[in-house]
Amino acid sequence: MSIYTTLKSPFGDLHVVVNESVLIAAGFGNLDSLLSRLTREKEIELKFVRQIAWISKAWTDYLDGDMESLTTFEWEQNGGPFQQKAWKVMTKIKAGKVLSYAELAKKAGSPKAVRAAGTACSSNLIAPFIPCHRIIGSNGGLGGYGYGVDLKEKLLIHEGALD
């Protein structure tokens, strides 16, 4: 059985789903939307809990300035080989830094797969733990974000990547 909880933050509610000690989904905004994306990929039984202590601590640490506290967890999500590589690359981007979609494609082993890099970002079910918000356009523009460009900008400002 998987458990889920909701964490409060200045960025809005962050919903987190864990199966044993493995992150399988996280995201802002609408809980039903996140859960429907997750259960579309696989059938799981979910139970709400008031708190997942180690997740709550990491989130509090992140909000308090420990920018690396979120990218240290074991995670699992469905995706092809390129997506898996892209997500691993994202977890290695230090807070305060960004990569372009083209740089992500190159670091994930397929320099011409810029659109696939964008797809890896949009299909990421474990934001902000897999920090797809740190991927921007080659022209320096923020690009898209599943939870809205305004939230992407706020996260990047919090992490020191933007003024």
Side-chain angles (χ1 to χ4, degrees):
M1 173 180 297
S2 297
I3 57 174
Y4 70 97
T5 194
T6 300
L7 305 169
K8 301 294 183 190
S9 82
F11 309 114
D13 289 346
L14 175 65
H15 310 290
V16 181
V17 183
V18 174
N19 185 9
E20 296 180 16
S21 61
V22 178
L23 284 167
I24 60 172
F28 296 97
N30 185 296
L31 173 63
D32 290 335
S33 175
L34 177 67
L35 295 179
S36 71
R37 288 180 64 202
L38 176 64
T39 56
R40 190 175 340 144
E41 294 185 7
K42 57 184 166 185
E43 190 172 316
I44 59 173
E45 188 177 337
L46 292 167
K47 177 185 174 190
F48 177 78
V49 294
R50 289 175 119 356
Q51 175 176 286
I52 303 170
W54 52 279
I55 292 288
S56 295
K57 179 177 180 350
W59 184 241
T60 299
D61 290 349
Y62 173 80
L63 294 175
D64 288 344
D66 179 358
M67 299 302 158
E68 303 309 319
S69 65
L70 299 184
T71 58
T72 60
F73 297 112
E74 184 178 348
W75 53 268
E76 178 182 295
Q77 63 181 325
N78 292 337
F82 178 81
Q83 288 176 319
Q84 297 293 332
K85 288 178 189 175
W87 294 326
K88 285 178 185 167
V89 168
M90 289 179 213
T91 64
K92 293 180 182 357
I93 304 168
K94 297 289 183 197
K97 304 291 182 190
V98 294
L99 284 183
S100 70
Y101 293 98
E103 291 169 320
L104 175 60
K106 183 177 180 182
K107 287 182 180 279
S110 298
K112 295 183 180 180
V114 177
R115 285 186 185 209
T119 299
C121 290
S122 67
S123 61
N124 174 26
L125 281 177
I126 310 177
F129 296 86
I130 297 177
C132 56
H133 63 277
R134 295 180 186 159
I135 309 302
I136 64 169
S138 295
N139 63 1
L142 291 181
Y145 189 56
Y147 302 106
V149 176
D150 289 345
L151 179 53
K152 182 176 188 171
E153 182 177 35
K154 288 176 184 174
L155 290 168
L156 291 173
I157 289 169
H158 175 70
E159 294 178 355
L162 298 176
D163 295 327

